[in-house]
């Protein structure tokens, strides 16, 4: 369907913050979680940096780029609670996960533990490693719906064995929007001699992060989602004693650099070939800009988005006459709501597309392997309003009614 043919039945009073983004005003955008959305001010800085690069490329890459990158890395490290020496930039969290998995040596006697909520792309990386090395992927079955974080801990720990070499865990699950009790999981796994690789794709900017307190062996997170940096900005944290083991997916000049002012870990990840580094360099501006939107800074912004997500979830549960599938303490600024079974036989992509084509709503529809078979995942960013979720509820009710419920 062409954009001009799309019907929109809803013209909300927009949030006063929406003009700070370049989002289509005709679209009810409730899917910040998938790819994020970068504010206009941050994109403006990126364009300035790109102009600076293209005006004198040699000067930029030989004189200007590295100090800018180091400054950005320092600001990011402070934001996520770690030392700058232990953090490097990567384009996305999936690259971070792959960088760790492809660097480690696994054997047929090893087990790699993950959960049934793991992000598909990273589960594919696990399966690839297992197929190449003979290691076994073990899946902990976290129940869903669930009543408490302790069910997560019990499900994971009961699958640990003497063969468990590494655990790959989401911090915030993509499919179900759950904040896992990560610090307790890391502590219990470490006590059993198991290293942890955390896929924190959604965590930076959604929930407070202190990587020193979490204590994971490896942690990767996106900056383009809830930090609202440009696309192509993420980070990988590696515990200091593991630096020498982890190599980037692309081996370049850093592998034999004679420099001694930086670690090999930093030198290799900093330069993986010619690329556009401006997304990384814009991370401090994104942190500062989002932190300036409310008087209470990032703490107030995260709390605002959390409360909006909870309010929206409750509204949709009442509208669809379903129960919330997890406790409020496990929700950040994304939440899922079960869809009544009358729509289970429909392809989730067709429902997503119909919501967009008929109602101009962008929202994530998620298939699930057990009952409930279908979930709608909402995101809550400061540019959203509760009226938009009311409109989504109305649209879903119409689709359900048309399906014969």
């Amino acid at each position: 369907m062409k954009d001009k043919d799309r019907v929109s039945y809803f013209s909300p009073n927009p949030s006063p913050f929406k003009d700070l983004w370049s989002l289509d005003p005709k679209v009810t955008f409730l899917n910040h979680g998938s790819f994020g959305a970068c504010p206009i001010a941050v994109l403006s800085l990126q364009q300035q940096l790109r102009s600076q690069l293209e005006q004198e490329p040699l000067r930029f890459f030989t004189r200007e780029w590295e100090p800018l990158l180091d400054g950005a890395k320092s600001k990011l490290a402070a934001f996520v609670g770690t030392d700058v020496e232990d953090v490097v930039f990567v384009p996305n969290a999936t690259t971070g996960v792959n960088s760790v998995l492809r660097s480690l040596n696994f054997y047929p006697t090893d087990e790699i533990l993950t959960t049934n909520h793991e992000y598909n792309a990273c589960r594919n990386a696990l399966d690839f490693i297992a197929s190449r090395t003979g290691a076994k992927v073990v899946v902990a079955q976290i129940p869903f719906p669930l009543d408490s974080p302790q069910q997560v801990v019990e499900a994971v720990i009961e699958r640990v064995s003497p063969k468990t070499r590494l655990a790959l865990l989401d911090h915030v699950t993509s499919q179900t929007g759950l904040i896992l009790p990560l610090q307790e999981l890391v502590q219990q796994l470490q006590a059993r001699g198991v290293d942890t690789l955390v896929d924190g794709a959604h965590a930076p900017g959604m929930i407070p992060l202190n990587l020193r307190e979490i204590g994971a062996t490896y942690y990767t997170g996106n900056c383009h989602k809830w930090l609202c940096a440009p696309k192509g900005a993420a980070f990988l944290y590696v515990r200091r004693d593991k630096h020498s083991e982890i190599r980037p997916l692309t081996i370049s000049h850093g592998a034999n650099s004679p420099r001694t002012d930086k670690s090999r870990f930093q030198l290799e990840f900093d330069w993986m070939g010619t690329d556009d580094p401006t997304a990384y360099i814009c991370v401090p501006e994104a942190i500062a800009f989002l932190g300036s939107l409310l008087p209470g800074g990032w703490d107030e912004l995260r709390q605002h988005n959390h409360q909006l997500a909870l309010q929206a979830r409750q509204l949709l549960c009442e509208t669809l006459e379903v129960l919330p599938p997890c406790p409020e303490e496990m929700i950040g600024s994304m939440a899922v709501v079960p869809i009544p079974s009358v729509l289970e036989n429909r392809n989730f992509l067709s429902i997503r597309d119909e919501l967009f084509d008929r109602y101009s709503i962008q929202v994530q529809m998620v298939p699930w392997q057990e009952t409930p078979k279908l979930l709608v995942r909402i995101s809550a960013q400061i540019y959203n309003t509760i009226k938009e979720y009311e409109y989504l509820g109305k649209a879903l009710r119409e689709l359900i009614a048309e399906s014969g419920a």
Side-chain angles (χ1 to χ4, degrees):
M1 181 178 290
K2 296 179 181 179
D3 184 72
K4 67 181 179 62
D5 297 326
R6 188 161 17 98
V7 178
S8 177
Y9 298 98
F10 183 54
S11 297
N13 292 323
S15 161
F17 295 99
K18 191 146 191 180
D19 287 344
L20 301 177
W21 275 260
S22 54
L23 293 165
D24 187 344
K26 300 187 294 297
V27 173
T28 300
F29 191 73
L30 304 178
N31 192 14
H32 185 93
S34 280
F35 301 107
C38 189
I40 295 169
V42 181
L43 290 173
S44 177
L45 173 62
Q46 185 180 35
Q47 187 53 52
Q48 293 174 34
L49 289 165
R50 283 175 167 162
S51 295
Q52 181 179 340
L53 186 165
E54 297 298 344
Q55 284 169 3
E56 188 21 293
L58 196 66
R59 182 180 64 200
F60 185 87
F61 281 119
T62 59
R63 297 185 182 185
E64 298 168 349
W65 153 79
E66 191 170 9
L68 290 169
L69 190 77
D70 289 345
K73 204 183 303 178
S74 179
K75 294 286 187 181
L76 174 64
F79 187 79
V80 300
T82 192
D83 296 326
V84 68
E85 293 85 359
D86 299 327
V87 173
V88 290
F89 282 116
V90 289
N92 48 65
T94 303
T95 299
V97 167
N98 275 269
S99 297
V100 173
L101 292 177
R102 297 291 293 273
S103 294
L104 299 176
N105 293 317
F106 294 98
Y107 302 95
T109 53
D110 291 332
E111 292 180 350
I112 309 173
L113 179 60
T114 190
T115 79
N116 59 323
H117 292 244
E118 182 55 49
Y119 184 54
N120 180 64
C122 296
R123 175 57 198 269
N124 285 342
L126 278 186
D127 290 342
F128 175 83
I129 292 297
S131 70
R132 289 292 184 94
T133 64
K136 180 182 179 182
V137 178
V138 175
V139 181
Q141 297 293 321
I142 297 174
F144 188 79
L146 76 171
D147 299 318
S148 75
Q150 192 59 33
Q151 290 176 270
V152 177
V153 177
E154 292 170 358
V156 171
I157 297 304
E158 74 175 7
R159 298 307 307 272
V160 175
S161 82
K163 297 181 179 180
T164 307
R165 169 85 182 283
L166 180 75
L168 171 61
L169 302 169
D170 282 350
H171 198 165
V172 181
T173 62
S174 176
Q175 292 171 286
T176 46
L178 299 174
I179 300 175
L180 300 189
L182 190 63
Q183 191 163 344
E184 182 176 356
L185 284 168
V186 168
Q187 290 172 352
Q188 293 215 26
L189 287 164
Q190 285 185 342
R192 292 162 173 81
V194 179
D195 285 341
T196 46
L197 167 56
V198 179
D199 178 2
H202 287 276
M206 179 191 285
I207 55 181
L209 270 186
N210 188 319
L211 297 184
R212 295 186 190 90
E213 291 183 359
I214 291 172
T217 319
Y218 316 100
Y219 190 110
T220 184
N222 286 320
C223 300
H224 69 260
K225 289 182 185 282
W226 298 95
L227 268 183
C228 295
K231 309 297 181 288
F235 70 88
L236 172 63
Y237 159 87
V238 175
R239 201 174 64 201
R240 192 77 54 92
D241 62 304
K242 299 290 186 178
H243 282 193
S244 62
E245 298 180 30
I246 305 304
R247 310 286 298 276
L249 294 177
T250 301
I251 302 301
S252 187
H253 294 296
N256 67 346
S257 171
R259 289 175 58 177
T260 58
D261 58 318
K262 283 188 173 183
S263 68
R264 183 75 54 198
F265 173 64
Q266 291 285 335
L267 290 169
E268 287 210 88
F269 276 92
D270 277 1
W271 185 268
M272 291 181 278
T274 305
D275 202 351
D276 181 352
T278 58
Y280 301 150
I281 299 169
C282 286
V283 167
E285 177 66 15
I287 292 172
F289 183 81
L290 270 291
S292 73
L293 297 181
L294 295 174
W298 270 100
D299 288 341
E300 186 176 355
L301 176 64
R302 284 188 288 252
Q303 185 62 20
H304 171 278
N305 291 344
H306 171 64
Q307 291 300 326
L308 182 58
L310 292 179
Q311 188 181 0
R313 184 180 77 152
Q314 184 61 35
L315 185 155
L316 287 174
C317 284
E318 292 173 359
T319 300
L320 302 180
E321 299 179 347
V322 296
L323 295 174
C326 71
E328 291 187 354
E329 66 185 289
M330 299 185 76
I331 293 297
S333 45
M334 291 194 309
V336 299
V337 173
I339 296 295
S341 59
V342 68
L343 292 180
E344 280 184 0
N345 292 328
R346 287 198 50 187
N347 182 280
F348 74 100
L349 293 175
S350 73
I351 297 174
R352 185 196 66 185
D353 290 347
E354 188 167 0
L355 285 168
F356 182 73
D357 292 338
R358 287 179 56 179
Y359 303 95
S360 295
I361 296 173
Q362 280 284 17
V363 72
Q364 186 79 331
M365 303 300 300
V366 181
W368 188 242
Q369 59 260 42
E370 299 173 4
T371 302
K373 296 286 188 181
L374 186 63
L375 311 167
V376 58
R377 192 192 76 186
I378 54 173
S379 296
Q381 185 51 277
I382 194 169
Y383 54 71
N384 292 123
T385 67
I386 194 63
K387 290 290 185 181
E388 293 176 306
Y389 305 99
E390 291 178 2
Y391 176 53
L392 171 63
K394 175 187 174 184
L396 288 170
R397 286 299 307 167
E398 288 185 5
L399 295 185
I400 292 167
E402 292 169 6
S403 297

